[in-house]
Amino acid sequence: MRDVSGRPRAACELSERMAELSHAAGLAYRSAGASNNERVALLVHGYPESSYMWREALGALADAGWRALAPDLPGYGDSEPGEGKGAGTWERHVEALERFVRELELGPVALVTHDWGVMIGLRWACDHPGAVNALAISDGAFHADRQWHDLANVLRTPGDGEQLVRSFTREGFQGAMVGLSSGMREEAIGEYWKCFADDRRRLGHLELYRSGDFDKLVPYKGRLASLGLPALILWGVQDKFAGVQMAERFHEELSDSELVLLEDAGHFVWDDQPERAAGALVDFLARRAG
């Protein structure tokens, strides 16, 4: 039996210990590890993914003695979209993350982010000093002078964005994801497709990207570095959306950071190299946040 990339299933099986699916603050989330563990990791997924992308990391963190929690952001995975106009914006996702942390009464967390989760998670961390004790940043941006890639520019364009998100088919989505990720599996495709389940969810994608004006980060210049947190910068060298130069920039700006580049991974590094990515994360947290 083969996965969607054409490789034998035996060659790409993960040592999955699928986390329990629960709900809090209106969000579905996966968790692993004992609820009384003092060390807590909060993992924030990217677009168009869900908490499923953290499946290997959740199990690895639990095995290392962490409580690990990964919410599905509103409209993604098993979380319902937010209510009302603007429910899918960047700001509303930051608010949803804060409600989640508050309802579960999470103390300082190791914040692990990817893609749009970087934009959401780091904005939340800067707005709540003391809420985070370590960072992991992968394949995402948090700089006011960043430029959006071509796909994002289409989503941000009225008319063109609506046409694009409404044109996606399950088969087309699978083809696109497999073309971008060497490790994309059938199960992952099914989980990530959930955010295209209906028109409301699809239009939420446009709200997210159209709210993503990088000049909103001007007031945040220097604030991430000022938190003084140990940080892991983990990146896929083959990333076509967020080039490795961005990883190097984070590494330069965050004085207490470590840079790990995975040569055989692209943008979806946690699907391309799940065991290596999870191993690097656990190793970093054991040394710097344990």
Side-chain angles (χ1 to χ4, degrees):
M1 186 175 182
R2 295 177 177 267
D3 73 349
V4 292
S5 67
R7 296 178 302 165
R9 174 62 56 83
C12 64
E13 279 295 340
L14 304 176
S15 57
E16 291 179 26
R17 297 163 296 285
M18 284 306 299
E20 177 185 357
L21 187 65
S22 306
H23 291 79
L27 300 181
Y29 70 97
R30 287 182 166 88
S31 63
S35 60
N36 61 352
N37 282 347
E38 294 183 359
R39 297 184 299 172
V40 179
L42 176 63
L43 300 89
V44 187
H45 68 80
Y47 176 89
E49 298 140 299
S50 71
S51 62
Y52 185 83
M53 68 164 285
W54 302 116
R55 57 198 178 276
E56 184 71 24
L58 289 169
L61 286 165
D63 288 348
W66 287 76
R67 179 189 183 194
L69 304 103
D72 288 335
L73 293 169
Y76 296 81
D78 291 289
S79 289
E80 290 297 317
E83 296 292 338
K85 185 177 180 180
T89 63
W90 182 8
E91 289 78 7
R92 294 287 291 275
H93 282 296
V94 175
E95 293 168 4
L97 187 63
E98 166 59 13
R99 288 195 303 272
F100 179 79
V101 170
R102 192 167 58 244
E103 181 163 318
L104 291 179
E105 299 181 338
L106 303 180
V109 300
L111 180 65
V112 185
T113 62
H114 175 72
D115 183 74
W116 256 105
V118 174
M119 296 266 283
I120 295 164
L122 297 188
R123 192 171 178 181
W124 170 76
C126 289
D127 288 343
H128 298 85
V132 175
N133 56 25
L135 293 170
I137 302 168
S138 65
D139 302 81
F142 199 68
H143 298 100
D145 59 355
R146 169 85 193 278
Q147 299 294 315
W148 278 116
H149 50 76
D150 290 345
L151 174 61
N153 284 326
V154 174
L155 293 172
R156 286 169 57 81
T157 302
D160 292 348
E162 282 81 357
Q163 181 177 357
L164 178 62
V165 296
R166 285 171 169 154
S167 71
F168 272 110
T169 64
R170 174 66 166 71
E171 293 74 18
F173 178 71
Q174 176 173 311
M177 295 298 282
V178 170
L180 291 168
S181 171
S182 61
M184 196 61 59
R185 302 172 58 202
E186 294 173 12
E187 294 87 349
I189 295 292
E191 291 292 331
Y192 303 158
W193 176 249
K194 290 179 178 179
C195 69
F196 291 91
D198 53 46
D199 200 56
R200 185 178 168 205
R201 290 174 182 261
R202 293 181 185 221
L203 294 179
H205 305 182
L206 305 183
E207 289 188 322
L208 179 62
Y209 275 94
R210 291 172 185 177
S211 68
D213 299 325
F214 288 113
D215 59 9
K216 293 178 180 178
L217 292 175
V218 170
Y220 290 86
K221 184 176 181 180
R223 286 175 61 181
L224 186 64
S226 71
L227 295 177
L229 300 172
L232 171 67
I233 315 301
L234 176 68
W235 225 264
V237 172
Q238 309 304 322
D239 193 330
K240 298 178 181 178
F241 296 102
V244 73
Q245 296 86 354
M246 196 173 301
E248 294 167 347
R249 181 173 179 179
F250 273 121
H251 185 41
E252 291 174 1
E253 293 178 354
L254 302 179
S255 60
D256 196 12
S257 65
E258 300 178 14
L259 179 62
V260 175
L261 302 178
L262 299 186
E263 293 286 344
D264 297 327
H267 181 72
F268 298 99
V269 61
W270 298 90
D271 280 290
D272 291 350
Q273 296 287 339
E275 293 182 1
R276 290 176 62 195
L281 174 63
V282 169
D283 173 70
F284 169 77
L285 292 180
R287 290 184 291 103
R288 306 306 308 280

